[in-house]
Amino acid sequence: MTVVSTADIANLKLFRRGKVRDTYDLGDGSLLMVATDRISAFDVVLPTPIPDKGRVLTQMSLRWFELTNGIVPNHLLAQQDTALPAAVPVEWRERCMHVARADRIDIECVVRGFISGSGWKEYRGHGTLAEESLPEGLRESARLPEPRFTPAMKNDDGHDENISRARLRDLVGADLAERLETISLSIYEFATTICEAAGIYLADTKFEFGIIDGTLSLIDEVLTPDSSRFWEISTWREGEAVPSFDKQFVRDYLETLEWDKTPPGPELPDAVVQGTAERYRQAAERICGVRLS
């Protein structure tokens, strides 16, 4: 396993340093996205990286971008390996995506097939999901009668804000809101078939979109353990929390600490680091057939 906490590349212009990705402006209308091994929880970047996490995120995203290209265009550019600048270390290439620069739509397009996480919290308090009613009597981790589109407003410096579909229409217009919902549900349903064939439920996931040369396009990452909640079908039980192939393992550990969920975050013990790394690698192999050497 390898560890990259910060992707500093000489002679390239840093475009943005996010919670996980360091993105560079290549000066020709394209960007270089490098997925590091940083991990965030409760919107705080933790000081302890997860080995090979960035490789998993990139390789899974590349596979899903390829599979979903028939549903919606995406920001990947051709010749991913050969187009990378010489300054990019060879050992980082599996972490890199060469992409077209997009005008990002500042909405997280969340699709939920099961009731869990913040959706479960809202339902317990109000009987709703994204301010729309759900049947009475649902239990935690229950499968929804049908997948629900539950958007959120992006906030790079804090918690994303869950919003209703009506609020989304007010923000972006009815036509774009409908397209975002339709495409998000289509990708979710397509991915659900693949995941369930691998013995995994896709409980929920989020997508990001942008406009590239006038075309609505899928951007950022797609269907990774950072952006999705994957559950082992054999261990799923309605009425209780379900172990996930994602960073829920980290969140569960953090909940045992006396930490107020503000920076700086606490260091992670080796057992949590290794357990998280193994969950990410399992997700990549079982869902996408990606085996990291």
Side-chain angles (χ1 to χ4, degrees), residues 75-84 98-100:
H75 65 168
L76 284 185
L77 295 172
Q79 300 176 326
Q80 286 290 305
D81 291 331
T82 57
L84 295 184
H98 184 210
V99 303

Side-chain angles (χ1 to χ4, degrees), residues 1 7 9 13 44 64 69 96 105 130 149 165 169 171 201 229 236-237 256 270 278:
M1 295 189 194
I9 304 176
K13 179 183 178 182
V44 175
W64 281 115
N69 194 44
C96 294
I105 300 168
F149 178 69
R165 293 190 299 166
R169 290 193 292 271
L171 289 170
Y201 281 141
R229 203 184 310 260
W236 171 77
R237 299 289 183 274
T256 69
D270 287 345
E278 181 58 26

Side-chain angles (χ1 to χ4, degrees), residues 40-279:
S40 67
F42 307 112
D43 293 312
V44 175
V45 177
L46 303 178
T48 315
I50 305 298
D52 276 343
K53 175 176 174 284
R55 293 173 68 203
V56 166
L57 300 183
T58 296
Q59 294 306 306
M60 288 188 73
S61 291
L62 288 171
R63 179 61 174 151
W64 281 115
F65 278 129
E66 176 187 3
L67 291 173
T68 59
N69 194 44
I71 300 173
V72 59
N74 59 66
H75 65 168
L76 284 185
L77 295 172
Q79 300 176 326
Q80 286 290 305
D81 291 331
T82 57
L84 295 184
V88 178
V90 173
E91 61 271 22
W92 288 5
R93 299 208 165 213
E94 288 185 320
R95 302 172 175 275
C96 294
M97 289 193 297
H98 184 210
V99 303
R101 184 169 177 175
D103 291 326
R104 189 181 76 176
I105 300 168
D106 289 332
I107 298 293
E108 295 275 10
C109 292
V110 181
V111 180
R112 303 177 189 273
F114 295 75
I115 187 77
S116 184
S118 63
W120 171 242
K121 182 178 180 181
E122 179 187 341
Y123 176 73
R124 280 190 302 167
H126 306 284
T128 60
L129 181 61
E131 301 180 21
E132 297 182 20
S133 62
L134 282 177
E136 295 182 2
L138 293 179
R139 299 196 293 168
E140 183 177 10
S141 305
R143 190 164 208 159
L144 296 171
E146 59 184 12
R148 289 284 191 107
F149 178 69
T150 62
M153 287 182 59
K154 284 187 64 65
N155 185 345
D156 291 333
D157 299 318
H159 296 280
D160 294 338
E161 177 190 351
N162 294 333
I163 60 174
S164 66
R165 293 190 299 166
R167 176 86 184 281
L168 176 63
R169 290 193 292 271
D170 290 340
L171 289 170
V172 304
D175 180 64
L176 180 56
E178 181 179 356
R179 292 173 68 198
L180 292 174
E181 178 173 356
T182 299
I183 293 170
S184 297
L185 288 169
S186 295
I187 300 172
Y188 177 84
E189 290 168 3
F190 172 79
T192 288
T193 300
I194 293 175
C195 289
E196 292 189 5
I200 292 174
Y201 281 141
L202 176 58
D204 54 59
T205 191
K206 61 182 180 180
F207 307 112
E208 292 191 31
F209 294 90
I211 306 297
I212 301 174
D213 295 331
T215 299
L216 183 64
S217 303
L218 186 62
I219 65 170
D220 195 57
E221 65 179 319
V222 59
L223 294 160
T224 73
D226 267 16
S227 65
S228 312
R229 203 184 310 260
F230 296 115
W231 291 341
E232 180 79 61
I233 291 177
S234 64
T235 63
W236 171 77
R237 299 289 183 274
E238 187 175 313
E240 59 187 62
V242 183
S244 305
F245 289 94
D246 56 33
K247 58 185 175 183
Q248 189 61 44
F249 189 60
V250 172
R251 295 191 195 99
D252 290 345
Y253 165 74
L254 294 173
E255 290 283 17
T256 69
L257 307 179
E258 294 184 0
W259 175 50
D260 63 2
K261 299 175 184 174
T262 60
E267 295 278 355
L268 300 177
D270 287 345
V272 173
V273 171
Q274 297 306 318
T276 304
E278 181 58 26
R279 282 164 172 77

